[in-house]
Amino acid sequence: MSLAFCGDENNSAAYNVDKGVLNNGCFVDALNVVPHVFLLFITFPILFIGWGSQSSKVHIHHSTWLHFPGHNLRWILTFILLFVLVCEIAEGIVSDGVSESRHLHLYMPAGMAFLAAITSVVYYHNIETSNFPKLLIALLFYWTLAFITKTIKFVKFCDNGVGFSQLRFCLTGLLVILYGMLLAVEINVIRVRRYVFFKTPKEVKPPEDLQDLGVRFLQPFVNLLSKGTYWWMNTFIKTAHKKPIDLKAIGKLPIAMRALTNYIRLNEAFEAQKNKRSPYPQGSKSIWCALCCAFGRPLVLSSTFRILADLLGFAGPLCISGIVHHVGKGNNTIRPQIKILGVFFISSQEFLANAYVLAVLLFFALLLQRTILQASYYVAIETGINLRGAIQTKIYNKIMQLSTSNMSMGEMTAGQICNLVAIDTNQLMWFFFLCPNLWAMPVQIIVGVLLLYYLLGISALIGAVVIIVLAPVQYFVATKLSQAQRSTLEYSNERLKKTNEMLRGIKLLKLYAWEHIFHSSVEETRQKEMTSLKAFALYTSVSIFMNAAIPIAAVLITFVVHAHLTGNADFSPSVAFASLSLFHILVTPLFLLSSVVRSTVKALVSVQKLSEFLSSEEIGEEHDKCSESRNADNHSKYQVVITNGFFTWTPEGSAALSNIDIRIPQGQLTMIVGQVGCGKSSLLLATLGEMQKTSGNVFWNSSIPDSETGEDVSPEKETAVDMEVRKRGSVAYASQKPWLLNATVEENITFESPFNKQRYKAVIDACSLQPDIDILPHGDQTQIGERGINLSGGQRQRISVARALYQQTNVVFLDDPFSALDIHLSDHLMQEGILKMLREDKRTIILVTHKLQYLPHADWIIAMKDGTIQREGTLKDIQKSESELFEHWKTLMNRQDQELEKETIIERKTVLERKNLRRTRYSREALLKDDEEDEEEITESDDDDDNLSSVLHQRAKMPWRACGKYLSSAGILLLPLLILSQFLKHTVMVAIDYWLAKWTSDVISAKSDLEQKNCSVCQCLSRSTLLCVSALAVISYVTPMFLIALLPLAIICYFIQKYFRVASRDLQQLDDSTQLPLLCHFSETMEGLTTIRAFRYESRFRQKLLEYTDSNNIASLFLTAANRWLEVRMATVLCYVGGFLTCFPRKDEIVIDLAGPSSEKSEPVLPGIQEQQPRAEYIGACVVLIAAVTSITNSLYNQLSSGLVGLGLTYALMVSNYLNWMVRNLADMEIQLGAVKRINGLLKTEAENYEGLLSPSQIPQNWPDRGEIQIQNLSVRYDSNLKPVLKHVSAHISPGQKIGICGRTGSGKSSFSLAFFRMVDTFEGRIIIDGIDIAKLPLQTLRSRLSIILQDPILFSGTIRFNLDPEKKCTDSMLWEALEIAQLKHVVKALPGGLDAIVTEGGENFSQGQRQLFCLARAFVRKTSIFIMDEATASIDMATENILQKVVMTAFADRTVVTIAHRVHTILNADLVIVMKRGVILEYDKPEVLLEQEESVFASFVQADK
């Protein structure tokens, strides 16, 4: 058949110009080609020569990007234009199909217009990105010409009587409207921005985000096509394969997505709700309203997209029904009857009667559906992430105002708040992600039932009723599943809490041989968790069965009823296919119902928790008052004045502090003293506003220049309002329990203040930190672990004090800073730090201490007793008025006369000189070590380039060894059973499909890929892998030529998954690693809340939180984008599978398309930020198009019978879906196998050898009964590759002797005590106790027969009884006796429950000193012959300590007591004293003998302690 632009039939009207050229249809069509040719030739040199060469040389950065007015509208109009042009091409081809010759003018102009439309949008995109708007003139001319020529064509149609009944008329009218709208958009751009024809164009800068080169998440700024395909991610994915992804690579969040922006939006919504509902501002209903108000708009948009996508999903069954129906009739197109202007015109009904047209429409419907669904998911996940960040910020701001009593009294524990941040915010995020399903599901069900009724009549309703009837059963199973999941989560939280507590106190548990008690407790909880997990697995299996059985039951019942009601009704393939597809669509929302209900219930519970938290007690809102003008003279010399103060921890609780009337002198040193538990620390906190004030006033003097700003804010300069009420300034506060950040030593000391090298060095020297810094791995840049875990107690306390000294605040609060320090460190800190750095600088200092020897240095003294002020004044005042109290202090201070003080100062200088000499040596050793390390680094740097390639190679490899370890742990029986069951399942599935294909002859059952999603990664991976293998086997059997296409397909897919896995793993790890600092920041803030508020650093810590939140959110968003990137790429690569398959059919079969729409389903929630089940978003559409076209062609021209090729096509769709799924699961498994590797490494860690050489029968029952200790040439170390901490130590301790061990920090005192319990590696020498070498004893026996009190007090959550006697061996009288010895009997008796009174986590409801006394009582309960006290009285006042020392000497007169002391005077009554230095015994004799020796180190210690 010949081709001609206007056709070559005889007497063709196409060449007739009698009525004028504009009345000639062919000429008008030729005229319509002109604008498109113009654009193509004009833009070619600019696009391919100008920008093409530029892009190859210079990368156009996004800082130049602009979005012109109407940007999104232009892209939407262009997409609609392309679709209409495709329809015009198809209409021209179909209408010309019955002609004797081909009229190219019917579809060639539309083809040229299609190319021009694509060129126009590419051209426009380059103008925007390069910010060169002058070139818009070409588009202006193009749209003008296109609009004019298309309008001429439309007018001529009207003149010749062509109307709405002809499809070409409708398409032409649409094109006129579209070209007109695009012209209007272009004119609007030029008018608003004053481009092209204006001399002075309007200067417009790109958005602030794009000008910031640190913003690399470009999804909100790219054009619609790039948004849908994630094209902007290409460079990122490629870069990720070359080098690991870090926070620098992913950059910063755009401003609109940052936590601060979203918090402001949420807070405004909260305030609006508060104004509406003033009586209950924080109720659950109010929170829901605020969330909807702040984030409801994008949620509505996501829901709209979702409903549109679901409605487009119904186009699939309808199009397939039409295709199969027309193929069955041979696709006989009705011959058009209307011929105008020499060509035929067809109606829309005639157009849709063509199977090829339906295939194309199906393709576009699925393509649009996937795109809109993608948009719905993206908007929902972005909204969820923004919501999470806003709520976390809201929680953090609440924490900053939270009353500390809430956490210390157990009402709102730190663990509960961390769960609120880590779990509940994520629950709300995922609820918002699933929320669109709530509106989409009813629409899907209603439309599905209506279409089924249209196809099958009343029998369809019966099938729907079956599904609805079985829905309650499904809901019941889902409810049970949810209950099992909740139960599992509760047990899991309980187990984690116990494990965490056990790990925190692991040293104590090992020393007391209590591992079995806590292990059995954790194991018991684990067994409950396992029972719950088994129930969860059972209900999951039932749920999977239900989800598979319900659609099958509904289809069978429907078809049986339909056949029965209609008699010999002919089941046409079109009705069967459409019905099956609709049933699967109908089942999808019911399947999702359980997930949505569970998510909704969890969200409701989370909001209830959030409501309770936000309504919890805050610190008093009343500001501290400054002195009024009339009292200025009275109060000007005082920094703080409290009058008639009554303070309590809880509003309804009894007063912890009563009748408080104190004055803190300005610029002087005030000391607060008193016994343990008398309220010293509480007084500091009350002054800082941390306690509830029931009555009285707290005055802060405001006439102090602010050292940070240097401004004088005296009362004369303040307004009347400022004079009345004014917040206090910043206070440098060192708490009794040191609080450190998870940061470097330097950052902990400077604490967000500017770095001053001279001051920093002075503070380091005052706190004697230089020797400690020298031995740290990286000096003061060493990272301090969580809660300072890698530092000793003394180091933690000195760093905490150094922080207070470094700050330039007027007021300094120090709460017992000497408790963990030996006498020399305490003396040096007092002289150089407190007296020299602070008092000489006229700073106001409040010092809480038990070291009464420093009282003479105090300018003002406050003595406390039982929560009240016993006396305040100078030392001389107290000496005159309270002589009895003064004499008591004098006795404790052990001071004799002034000459002794002079000797002490001289001796102190000698000690300091020795210390400086030691520090110099430490520094030299550290420098030598650093030089050696530098040399090693230089040597190793040569190999860096070689190592980099090997590291990158390792990143791309799968950890198969860890995978094998994980699978083998399942056991010999379970693993083969799992593989066999999976294999049998897929074999049966293939067999059923094969049988159906043979049985139906002309009809093949549509394949449902509805699978249970909540499976483990390994299960999902095995399932998707077996599905892929079975599908490839079926396709290869049906079409052997497919094996040729399989090789390139496999190669391309391999490289895609290779690139994706590396990026996905890095992003997942980055998501996890950025979440950890965020949660740690919450935990740190809660622990150091009083310190942060004292410093007035709330805003700085809030800023840190915003940074951590944004880092976590940007990682989550990039991970989401990477998953989308994979889906689109896999779809593009696999789109040729169906086409290749259908090009080579077997000769005895035809292809009947069953593709695609039934595979549509929503996607479940997976752990972490992984938004949906993997699926190829566009693969279904591409395969449907190719498969349908080739199927129609083979069916029409080869006259083949039905059969297995349809089965092959169905499995081709499975390949596209499950190969994508397999790659995603492969990446997930690789990430999760990291946990397997870590656990495996932990299991390989060498454990302690609990077995001994002696059997239980060889060990006396009452060993050790005497308490004799022989230490022979003992050398110990903490690890085999570390230096020894004790070197050749020898000593003999007789039964019942009291031994005192002293020495400087790091001298080996604590290591000496740990050696008795074999907690350190004894590589030389031995310890013999009562004739038995302890190395031969089983560890459990050894540790259970000794007692020790550690320096750090450790209490466990539970009761006082459990903390004293977890083994339940003692009677109540024995426990009360121990409490009486520890001076705690009166405290415990006053508690509700007595011995069964609750101890909160970490013992936070008791003071530091009381916790240490409880630990003493715990050791007394054991009543062993050997008793070791490792600096056990550091946090106890001297009076209580003296009582304890006497009790120990009398109650343990017949026992051997080893005391490691900071306060040397506590061991003056010992039988023997051991002085240690750097792991060796320096002196070893009776104390009186050592005191008589002039050069004795012990004597210098004693004199310094006085």
Side-chain angles (χ1 to χ4, degrees), residues 987-1013:
T987 304
V988 171
M989 285 170 60
V990 172
I992 290 172
D993 290 333
Y994 182 85
W995 174 72
L996 282 173
K998 284 290 186 183
W999 177 63
T1000 55
S1001 179
D1002 297 315
V1003 181
I1004 180 168
S1005 173
K1007 179 71 182 172
S1008 168
D1009 61 348
L1010 188 61
E1011 295 278 355
Q1012 168 68 18
K1013 309 300 188 303

Side-chain angles (χ1 to χ4, degrees), residues 989-1041:
M989 285 170 60
V990 172
I992 290 172
D993 290 333
Y994 182 85
W995 174 72
L996 282 173
K998 284 290 186 183
W999 177 63
T1000 55
S1001 179
D1002 297 315
V1003 181
I1004 180 168
S1005 173
K1007 179 71 182 172
S1008 168
D1009 61 348
L1010 188 61
E1011 295 278 355
Q1012 168 68 18
K1013 309 300 188 303
N1014 297 325
C1015 58
S1016 66
V1017 171
C1018 280
Q1019 185 184 356
C1020 288
L1021 181 61
S1022 63
R1023 177 181 300 167
S1024 53
T1025 304
L1026 287 170
L1027 279 166
C1028 283
V1029 171
S1030 60
L1032 291 173
V1034 170
I1035 298 168
S1036 301
Y1037 171 75
V1038 172
T1039 311
M1041 293 296 290

Side-chain angles (χ1 to χ4, degrees), residues 911-1096:
V911 174
L912 288 176
E913 286 172 2
R914 293 177 187 170
K915 184 169 183 285
N916 289 331
L917 179 64
R918 177 190 176 204
R919 182 186 304 144
T920 306
R921 204 178 88 178
Y922 272 169
S923 300
R924 287 175 183 169
E925 288 176 359
L927 287 171
L928 287 171
K929 189 177 180 182
D930 288 344
D931 291 341
E932 291 172 4
E933 288 178 354
D934 289 341
E935 288 174 8
E936 289 175 7
E937 286 178 6
I938 293 168
T939 308
E940 291 173 358
S941 63
D942 299 333
D943 303 327
D944 281 352
D945 295 335
D946 297 332
N947 290 337
L948 181 60
S949 58
S950 63
V951 167
L952 292 174
H953 177 67
Q954 289 296 326
R955 289 175 70 235
K957 285 179 64 178
M958 277 291 296
W960 294 116
R961 185 175 295 177
C963 184
K965 184 71 178 176
Y966 175 74
L967 292 175
S968 62
S969 64
I972 301 173
L973 181 63
L974 286 177
L975 181 60
L977 192 62
L978 174 66
I979 296 171
L980 182 63
S981 62
Q982 289 278 2
F983 180 76
L984 286 175
K985 172 193 169 185
H986 292 94
T987 304
V988 171
M989 285 170 60
V990 172
I992 290 172
D993 290 333
Y994 182 85
W995 174 72
L996 282 173
K998 284 290 186 183
W999 177 63
T1000 55
S1001 179
D1002 297 315
V1003 181
I1004 180 168
S1005 173
K1007 179 71 182 172
S1008 168
D1009 61 348
L1010 188 61
E1011 295 278 355
Q1012 168 68 18
K1013 309 300 188 303
N1014 297 325
C1015 58
S1016 66
V1017 171
C1018 280
Q1019 185 184 356
C1020 288
L1021 181 61
S1022 63
R1023 177 181 300 167
S1024 53
T1025 304
L1026 287 170
L1027 279 166
C1028 283
V1029 171
S1030 60
L1032 291 173
V1034 170
I1035 298 168
S1036 301
Y1037 171 75
V1038 172
T1039 311
M1041 293 296 290
F1042 174 74
L1043 292 172
I1044 298 173
L1046 188 59
L1047 182 61
L1049 170 70
I1051 292 171
I1052 296 170
C1053 288
Y1054 167 77
F1055 281 104
I1056 287 178
Q1057 65 84 28
K1058 182 180 178 182
Y1059 275 83
F1060 169 76
R1061 277 196 306 104
V1062 172
S1064 176
R1065 183 183 64 241
D1066 285 359
L1067 286 170
Q1068 183 66 62
Q1069 290 172 350
L1070 197 61
D1071 183 35
D1072 295 338
S1073 63
T1074 52
Q1075 191 176 25
L1076 188 61
L1078 176 65
L1079 298 177
C1080 285
H1081 187 65
F1082 272 93
S1083 179
E1084 279 180 351
T1085 301
M1086 285 182 284
E1087 288 180 2
L1089 198 53
T1090 52
T1091 304
I1092 295 167
R1093 289 202 287 235
F1095 275 83
R1096 293 295 193 212

Side-chain angles (χ1 to χ4, degrees), residues 290-310:
L291 292 177
C292 292
C293 180
F295 300 101
R297 185 174 296 177
L299 204 61
V300 170
L301 180 63
S302 175
S303 301
T304 305
F305 283 153
R306 181 58 192 270
I307 291 171
L308 286 174
D310 287 342

Side-chain angles (χ1 to χ4, degrees), residues 229-527:
T229 60
Y230 289 82
W231 192 261
W232 62 272
M233 281 285 291
N234 286 352
T235 306
F236 180 82
I237 296 289
K238 290 176 186 174
T239 307
H241 197 261
K242 295 177 182 176
K243 61 179 182 180
I245 301 172
D246 54 13
L247 280 174
K248 187 178 179 181
I250 61 178
K252 297 185 287 188
L253 266 177
I255 293 171
M257 294 181 176
R258 290 177 189 170
L260 179 60
T261 308
N262 291 296
Y263 166 71
I264 292 171
R265 185 187 305 152
L266 179 64
N267 205 45
E268 288 173 354
F270 264 99
E271 291 301 320
Q273 291 300 317
K274 192 180 289 186
N275 295 334
K276 289 180 185 177
R277 297 179 173 85
S278 52
Y280 305 102
Q282 304 291 2
S284 296
K285 186 178 179 182
S286 179
I287 292 176
W288 278 116
C289 291
L291 292 177
C292 292
C293 180
F295 300 101
R297 185 174 296 177
L299 204 61
V300 170
L301 180 63
S302 175
S303 301
T304 305
F305 283 153
R306 181 58 192 270
I307 291 171
L308 286 174
D310 287 342
L311 291 176
L312 282 169
F314 289 106
L318 298 176
C319 287
I320 289 176
S321 178
I323 290 171
V324 176
H325 175 73
H326 293 304
V327 166
K329 292 185 176 182
N331 200 34
N332 295 322
T333 306
I334 302 170
R335 185 178 179 87
Q337 302 297 320
I338 301 172
K339 192 171 186 180
I340 305 171
L341 299 174
V343 292
F344 288 104
F345 283 74
I346 61 172
S347 66
S348 57
Q349 186 178 359
E350 293 167 339
F351 180 70
L352 293 174
N354 188 287
Y356 289 106
V357 170
L358 289 175
V360 174
L361 289 177
L362 177 60
F363 168 74
F364 279 108
L366 293 178
L367 201 65
L368 187 60
Q369 184 218 17
R370 300 293 199 271
T371 304
I372 294 176
L373 192 65
Q374 182 89 354
S376 173
Y377 288 144
Y378 173 76
V379 172
I381 196 80
E382 182 191 304
T383 305
I385 289 173
N386 290 340
L387 169 85
R388 181 182 64 177
I391 294 177
Q392 286 174 342
T393 310
K394 180 77 176 172
I395 292 171
Y396 192 81
N397 284 337
K398 176 67 179 181
I399 290 172
M400 282 298 185
Q401 299 170 340
L402 204 62
S403 172
T404 48
S405 62
N406 277 338
M407 289 181 280
S408 62
M409 302 300 176
E411 293 178 15
M412 184 66 67
T413 65
Q416 288 174 315
I417 298 175
C418 283
N419 282 341
L420 196 64
V421 174
I423 298 173
D424 292 297
T425 55
N426 276 305
Q427 295 289 3
L428 283 171
M429 179 185 74
W430 286 114
F431 170 74
F432 266 61
F433 174 53
L434 285 176
C435 200
N437 291 291
L438 290 174
W439 332 118
M441 286 191 299
V443 174
Q444 216 172 4
I445 292 170
I446 292 169
V447 176
V449 170
L450 289 175
L451 288 175
L452 276 170
Y453 182 77
Y454 171 75
L455 289 171
L456 298 173
I458 194 69
S459 56
L461 298 179
I462 295 172
V465 167
V466 171
I467 293 176
I468 294 169
V469 167
L470 290 176
V473 180
Q474 197 177 20
Y475 179 76
F476 172 77
V477 174
T479 305
K480 288 293 183 182
L481 192 65
S482 179
Q483 290 174 356
Q485 191 177 29
R486 192 182 302 115
S487 175
T488 303
L489 189 62
E490 288 173 359
Y491 288 130
S492 179
N493 286 339
E494 184 182 349
R495 176 176 57 82
L496 288 172
K497 180 185 174 185
K498 288 182 176 180
T499 305
N500 188 36
E501 199 168 36
M502 183 175 71
L503 290 174
R504 283 187 188 180
I506 191 67
K507 184 177 179 182
L508 178 75
L509 298 184
K510 284 183 170 293
L511 289 170
Y512 275 67
W514 285 347
E515 302 103 306
H516 64 286
I517 300 171
F518 282 78
H519 175 266
S520 60
S521 175
V522 172
E523 191 63 33
E524 181 185 350
T525 309
R526 175 61 178 165
Q527 288 303 320

